[in-house]
Amino acid sequence: MVMPRESMRDVLERSRFAIRWGGALGLLCHPIYYVVWTYVLPQPYDNLSLRLSAALVCIPLIFQARWPKRFNHYLLIYWHCCLIYVLPFVCTFLAIRNSFSTMWMMTEVMMIFIMALCIDNPLLLMGCIGIGVFSGALAAVLSSPVPIVVTAADQSNLALLPVVVLCSMAFSHAISKGRIFVEKNRALQALAGSIAHEMRNPLSQLRYVLDRVEEALPATRGPERPLALVHDTHDRHDRNGNTAGLYRHLAQGQLSIERGLRIIAMTLDEVSAKPIRPDYLAYLSAASTTRKALEEYGFADEKERDKVRLVVREDFTFKVDETVYLFTLFNLIKNALYHIATHPAATLTLTIEQQSVMVRDTGPGIAPAMVSHLFEPFRTAETSGGTGLGLAYCQRAMRAFGGSISCRSEVGRFTEFTLQFPVVPKSEIVDHERQIFERATPVFKDRRILVVDDDAGQRARACRALSKVGACVSEAENGAVALTVLRESAPYDLVLMDINMPVLDGYTAAEEIRAAHDYPSWNVLIAAYTAEPGSVVRVLARRAGMDGIISKSCSVLELITTLQALLENGNRHHLSQKSDAFSGKSILVADDDTYSRLVAKAYLERCGASVVEAEHGQAVLAHLQADGVIDAIVMDMNMPGMGGLETTASIRARDDSYATVPIIALTSQSDLKAVQTCLAVGMNEVMIKPVQAGSLYACLARQFGRQRDSNAPAQTELSSTSAATPAGNLPIVTDSELLDEKHLEELGSLDLLDESFLKGIEQIRQLVARLATSVAAGDLESTHGVLHILLGVSGNLGARALHQFARQIYPRVVQGEWPVETDWLARIGILSERSTDALQTYFATAKAGREHRDYFSDQE
């Protein structure tokens, strides 16, 4: 039983659970069995003193956690000594004194296998059993008043015991091997997870640097526009050529970083076995989604891209999470390109047919012995330099989609991975399309949308799709016509802008729109509509002030859903724009990584905030003790010393104003459990690293809005005059408490009490109707999504009471539970009706006031 100190410590930590419960069972079972064998099912012999002594030696095992640390290295020895005495010694002693009866021989066999469960070292197991059996037999012989007689039948029974011991040793060895394999995998998973977490910081830093480079690049409008973006330039002295080259390199760098972050996300999802949520699955075209994967994949160069081709023999619709499917294809493409890199003539073909996507390369192939192990975690093809997590992730993804992944390979000829998807019934697809249009219609209804494209066929296609969901659609054949329309007509809600057009292209038109603040639609949402692949388009579109990019190869459903998301989340945050939205606010950024703090600080200072930095939780608490004022805290979860969770718990336990200070969590862990842990300790919102400027702005804006709301008197009671009021005891909110007057005044001063304000009021009504439908269907995920949007809209419009109540019930929904208030839906319905009426009245009053002032101004 002697082992190295470190090894003994490892064994002890692994055995603590077994020691505690083994002690409890030993304490209880021996007295119970004495009563049973003596009074219930009487046996020839039992011994109360022996039973009680066996029970008493187990008591220290139960209280192992309270052992003094200096005696911990004796605990493992004591555990094995207890096992020897409590099991083989006692059982053998009683078996012999009961003349080897059948029941006691069965007990002896059971004892041996219990020992095998407690000791996973075969040699140690044999030693403990041998010592216990020998000493128990010796004690039985010496204490017996009559000589022990072993009959022929007893000899037959005893002859089986060595076989049982050998079987138990094999069993113990199997348990040991399984434990070692599991612990090895856990260690590798922890290592992979740790590496992935650590790689996120440098990648986010590089992305920040590239964002700053993008801001510093020459303007793309006017004579300096890099016209030859898709062609290499040989004139290094040509300014436009140099600019085009810079944009290409910048785009390639940003795409590489995005791919790196995607791989990290995939690795973290796999090592944590994060489930693929079924509510994220969407009905997509296999051909267009696979084509999108090839467009977004970061090929090293055109030579590598030329090795890959897509063959569509029969398109089909599958139900997948698009991001997860793209990850799966990226992994298969990456592996194939890696293996065919040394084979110049090898090619990679993606084929779509009969509910399957096949990825086949004509490279070196995989040995048959490896093929059957490819999808096991941490198993790689022999020459691969990967972690071995990619194919395991692919298999888990396909199972989540209801499909499968398989591999065929012949050494020296080919390797083919087949993604097989289940058939989606046509009725299900039709029903899905109907639901998409039903959900989109309230969002698009009466929205003014301008479609700009020199291709009349493309304009007609987009116009038909948008008209189908109730939008008011206008057309323009080029950027110049679009500028005229936007200058001379009422404000538009969205512009669908082609990029390559005669007279005036889409980039220049977008820049002209953003630059002309006297246009009614200068801040309109602009979506680039292009057939051009490549990341350069994304960079230029963003620099031109566009809000999103849509491929012309997308389906009508994809067009509708993408534009719907853009309209529902229409707050734009351009990198090149500065504002004073957080002017006068002091925000504490806590992170042990210096550069991560720099990134967050730079984003916040662009909005006028004053930023205080801290490296750990103790520094955060020290800042709060100082004389300065902190309006919000943005805090990393993992910091040395005191981490984010402990720091938040300490802040929430204070009895001063900081007990309610808004705290935004920063974490690399995107699983639901991590988010719930942050919310449970008292954090207000959770942001997944790396920090995105728009998300950070939105989080803080929400929290400052809620903080302003909380300064108003607490919610009391809601009017119970409605016939739908259950139990007649809903809270009453007075008319003066319904709206945030100060916020509405700010909207008025910014000229935001316009048509978009009225559409926001209508959106609240539609959201509450959708909420009732989701609740009636028992769809918690849909309820979560609707509540999330309702929170934002009600807060932005100044519907204070509605916003406060929605915020009150939202945390439980986030945690996957229904609100405990049985009448919560009725409350939201009543608050929504009263709030929208009050907002409508406020708008009409403000409009009348403006017209009155304008009239007298004109008279003067």
Side-chain angles (χ1 to χ4, degrees):
M1 292 197 323
V2 178
M3 57 188 73
R5 183 180 181 86
E6 287 297 321
S7 176
M8 180 177 282
R9 182 181 296 115
D10 293 340
V11 174
L12 174 61
E13 292 305 317
R14 189 178 69 248
S15 304
R16 283 192 179 276
F17 181 82
I19 292 173
R20 182 183 303 109
W21 285 102
L25 290 172
L27 176 63
L28 295 173
C29 288
H30 276 293
I32 291 173
Y33 271 111
Y34 176 80
V35 173
V36 171
W37 298 148
T38 303
Y39 302 106
V40 181
L41 301 170
Q43 299 296 309
Y45 177 82
D46 212 318
N47 189 312
L48 179 59
S49 299
L50 184 68
R51 294 283 194 179
L52 289 177
S53 64
L56 290 173
V57 298
C58 293
I59 293 177
L61 299 177
I62 300 174
F63 300 101
Q64 52 159 315
R66 299 188 180 182
W67 280 43
K69 288 186 178 180
R70 64 180 181 275
F71 294 138
N72 263 351
H73 57 284
Y74 296 118
L75 176 58
L76 201 59
I77 297 173
Y78 184 79
W79 162 241
H80 288 93
C81 291
C82 282
L83 285 174
I84 292 170
Y85 181 66
V86 171
L87 289 172
F89 179 89
V90 172
C91 289
T92 303
F93 180 90
L94 294 174
I96 293 174
R97 293 299 297 270
N98 282 282
S99 303
F100 303 104
S101 67
T102 302
M103 189 278 294
W104 281 102
M105 291 305 296
M106 291 173 61
T107 302
E108 193 79 356
V109 171
M110 181 180 70
M111 170 274 295
I112 293 172
F113 278 101
I114 292 175
M115 290 286 289
L117 288 173
C118 295
I119 302 174
D120 57 11
N121 183 314
L123 295 178
L124 181 60
L125 171 67
M126 185 173 66
C128 289
I129 292 175
I131 293 171
V133 169
F134 176 79
S135 58
L138 183 63
V141 171
L142 295 176
S143 64
S144 176
V146 295
I148 303 296
V149 178
V150 181
T151 65
D154 295 336
Q155 291 176 2
S156 299
N157 289 335
L158 290 172
L160 291 175
L161 289 182
V163 177
V164 173
V165 172
L166 290 174
C167 290
S168 68
M169 290 176 65
F171 184 57
S172 174
H173 179 69
I175 292 175
S176 176
K177 285 293 185 182
R179 173 183 55 76
I180 291 171
F181 179 77
V182 169
E183 289 182 352
K184 177 185 175 183
N185 269 3
R186 285 177 179 170
L188 289 171
Q189 286 180 335
L191 177 62
S194 176
I195 292 172
H197 279 300
E198 292 303 320
M199 284 302 296
R200 267 186 165 168
N201 273 340
L203 285 177
S204 61
Q205 293 165 12
L206 285 172
R207 182 165 66 180
Y208 171 77
V209 171
L210 292 180
D211 288 346
R212 302 289 75 74
V213 171
E214 181 181 330
E215 291 181 16
L217 281 176
T220 58
R221 187 176 73 236
E224 296 183 0
R225 163 172 297 286
L227 297 175
L229 284 172
V230 294
H231 304 289
D232 289 331
T233 177
H234 300 286
D235 184 2
R236 293 293 176 187
H237 301 289
D238 178 52
R239 184 173 184 181
N240 286 343
N242 284 337
T243 304
L246 285 173
Y247 270 106
R248 278 196 303 276
H249 296 319
L250 173 67
Q252 289 169 355
Q254 289 177 330
L255 180 61
S256 297
I257 290 171
E258 288 301 322
R259 287 195 63 238
L261 291 171
R262 284 180 176 180
I263 293 170
I264 286 173
M266 183 189 75
T267 303
L268 292 175
D269 286 354
E270 182 57 29
V271 298
S272 63
K274 181 180 178 182
I276 296 169
R277 293 175 56 176
D279 55 305
Y280 283 9
L281 303 184
Y283 298 84
L284 302 172
S285 159
S288 63
T289 311
T290 305
R291 190 175 292 110
K292 182 177 182 180
L294 292 178
E295 291 173 357
E296 294 189 3
Y297 186 85
F299 293 99
D301 48 40
E302 284 300 316
K303 183 179 179 181
E304 188 176 70
R305 176 65 181 87
D306 291 341
K307 291 184 177 182
V308 184
R309 67 189 185 111
L310 173 65
V311 176
V312 180
R313 292 177 180 165
E314 181 186 345
D315 192 13
F316 61 91
T317 298
F318 54 17
K319 188 178 181 181
V320 299
D321 179 323
E322 184 182 69
T323 301
V324 173
Y325 175 71
L326 293 180
F327 278 13
T328 301
L329 278 188
F330 288 162
N331 187 74
L332 296 177
I333 293 169
K334 175 178 70 71
N335 287 348
L337 291 175
Y338 177 88
H339 286 94
I340 68 175
T342 56
H343 295 69
T347 60
L348 174 62
T349 304
L350 280 69
T351 305
I352 297 172
E353 65 173 349
Q354 298 179 347
Q355 297 298 132
S356 64
V357 177
M358 288 167 285
V359 182
R360 181 188 179 102
D361 69 74
T362 57
I366 302 173
M370 287 297 303
V371 171
S372 60
H373 298 290
L374 282 177
F375 300 104
E376 297 175 6
F378 305 104
R379 295 294 293 267
T380 65
E382 294 161 357
T383 57
S384 174
T387 64
L389 283 171
L391 291 176
Y393 178 87
C394 294
Q395 185 179 62
R396 197 160 62 86
M398 290 304 298
R399 286 174 177 171
F401 300 155
S404 62
I405 179 172
S406 59
C407 176
R408 291 192 311 120
S409 184
E410 290 186 22
V411 176
R413 293 191 60 197
F414 73 91
T415 299
E416 180 180 88
F417 286 91
T418 301
L419 307 178
Q420 190 71 40
F421 296 89
V423 176
V424 181
K426 289 185 178 180
S427 59
E428 188 176 330
I429 297 173
V430 171
D431 186 58
H432 168 70
E433 292 177 353
R434 179 184 55 78
Q435 291 178 9
I436 290 289
F437 281 105
E438 286 179 356
R439 284 198 296 266
T441 299
V443 177
F444 283 92
K445 188 171 178 57
D446 298 328
R447 296 272 190 152
R448 289 170 53 79
I449 299 177
L450 178 62
V451 177
V452 187
D453 199 317
D454 61 314
D455 185 331
Q458 288 286 358
R459 287 204 312 271
R461 173 178 178 266
C463 289
R464 280 196 304 270
L466 294 170
S467 298
K468 193 173 180 179
V469 289
C472 300
V473 188
S474 303
E475 300 180 46
E477 60 268 25
N478 58 56
V481 175
L483 289 177
T484 302
V485 171
L486 293 172
R487 183 186 300 115
E488 297 177 354
S489 61
Y492 276 82
D493 297 289
L494 183 141
V495 176
L496 188 61
M497 180 87 72
D498 184 24
I499 287 178
N500 293 319
M501 296 179 291
V503 184
L504 193 67
D505 65 272
Y507 294 129
T508 307
E511 291 165 354
E512 292 284 355
I513 293 168
R514 296 292 183 231
H517 284 204
D518 56 335
Y519 277 30
S521 299
W522 75 272
N523 205 32
V524 66
L525 292 167
I526 304 176
Y529 196 41
T530 177
E532 293 185 15
S535 52
V536 177
V537 174
R538 296 183 181 278
V539 176
L540 290 177
R542 186 164 59 242
R543 284 285 283 160
M546 295 180 172
D547 301 284
I549 296 179
I550 303 174
S551 172
K552 287 188 176 181
S553 63
C554 73
S555 67
V556 171
L557 287 181
E558 289 176 277
L559 175 66
I560 295 298
T561 52
T562 305
L563 292 180
Q564 179 182 348
L566 199 59
L567 287 168
E568 289 181 333
N569 306 287
N571 294 327
R572 295 185 299 106
H573 297 281
H574 296 303
L575 289 172
S576 59
Q577 292 180 336
K578 292 187 177 182
S579 72
D580 57 356
F582 300 153
S583 179
K585 299 290 186 183
S586 180
I587 300 173
L588 174 60
V589 176
D591 198 316
D592 59 313
D593 182 72
T594 303
Y595 210 94
S596 294
R597 293 200 308 273
L598 175 62
V599 172
K601 181 180 179 181
Y603 287 152
L604 293 171
E605 287 181 341
R606 296 181 70 81
C607 285
S610 173
V611 178
V612 179
E613 298 182 60
E615 297 182 359
H616 44 70
Q618 291 91 338
V620 172
L621 299 179
H623 280 298
L624 298 185
Q625 290 297 117
D627 295 334
V629 175
I630 301 296
D631 296 293
I633 300 174
V634 178
M635 183 156 49
D636 185 30
M637 287 297 89
N638 298 312
M639 296 183 290
M642 181 180 282
L645 294 176
E646 299 92 330
T647 307
T648 301
S650 179
I651 293 172
R652 295 305 182 221
R654 296 169 69 105
D655 56 5
D656 57 12
S657 60
Y658 283 129
T660 58
V661 66
I663 302 178
I664 310 296
L666 294 178
T667 177
S668 298
Q669 300 176 0
S670 58
D671 58 288
L672 183 59
K673 183 178 179 181
V675 174
Q676 290 175 344
T677 302
C678 294
L679 295 175
V681 82
M683 295 183 153
N684 300 85
E685 297 203 33
V686 181
M687 284 187 58
I688 308 302
K689 283 187 173 183
V691 175
Q692 300 279 359
S695 300
L696 182 59
Y697 297 154
C699 281
L700 287 169
R702 279 195 298 270
Q703 291 309 315
F704 288 141
R706 293 170 185 174
Q707 196 177 45
R708 184 176 60 244
D709 292 342
S710 65
N711 293 330
Q715 229 179 320
T716 53
E717 292 285 308
L718 201 219
S719 174
S720 58
T721 57
S722 170
T725 305
N729 61 351
L730 295 180
I732 297 175
V733 173
T734 64
D735 290 341
S736 62
E737 295 172 337
L738 274 175
L739 306 181
D740 185 343
E741 298 281 351
K742 184 176 180 181
H743 180 72
L744 288 167
E745 289 173 4
E746 291 176 358
L747 292 179
S749 66
L750 295 171
D751 292 329
L752 293 178
L753 294 178
D754 53 13
E755 291 299 319
S756 63
F757 185 83
L758 290 177
K759 290 175 181 176
I761 296 173
E762 183 58 30
Q763 189 177 8
I764 288 178
R765 296 189 177 109
Q766 294 166 357
L767 286 169
V768 172
R770 284 172 57 188
L771 187 64
T773 303
S774 298
V775 173
D779 189 342
L780 189 58
E781 292 297 333
S782 176
T783 301
H784 176 194
V786 177
L787 270 177
H788 180 77
I789 300 173
L790 182 62
L791 269 171
V793 176
S794 59
N796 290 335
L797 292 187
R800 179 171 59 195
L802 176 60
H803 179 79
Q804 284 181 335
F805 183 69
R807 180 161 57 95
Q808 175 184 326
I809 63 174
Y810 185 65
R812 286 190 66 87
V813 178
V814 170
Q815 295 178 29
E817 302 174 7
W818 289 104
V820 294
E821 300 87 348
T822 56
D823 54 358
W824 68 272
L825 186 59
R827 297 189 192 189
I828 283 186
I830 293 172
L831 279 173
S832 165
E833 184 178 351
R834 294 185 61 204
S835 298
T836 51
D837 289 346
L839 288 170
Q840 200 93 33
T841 302
Y842 186 93
F843 175 82
T845 304
K847 182 180 180 181
R850 285 197 307 272
E851 292 173 349
H852 182 73
R853 287 193 301 273
D854 292 344
Y855 173 79
F856 282 102
S857 175
D858 292 341
Q859 293 298 314
E860 292 174 1

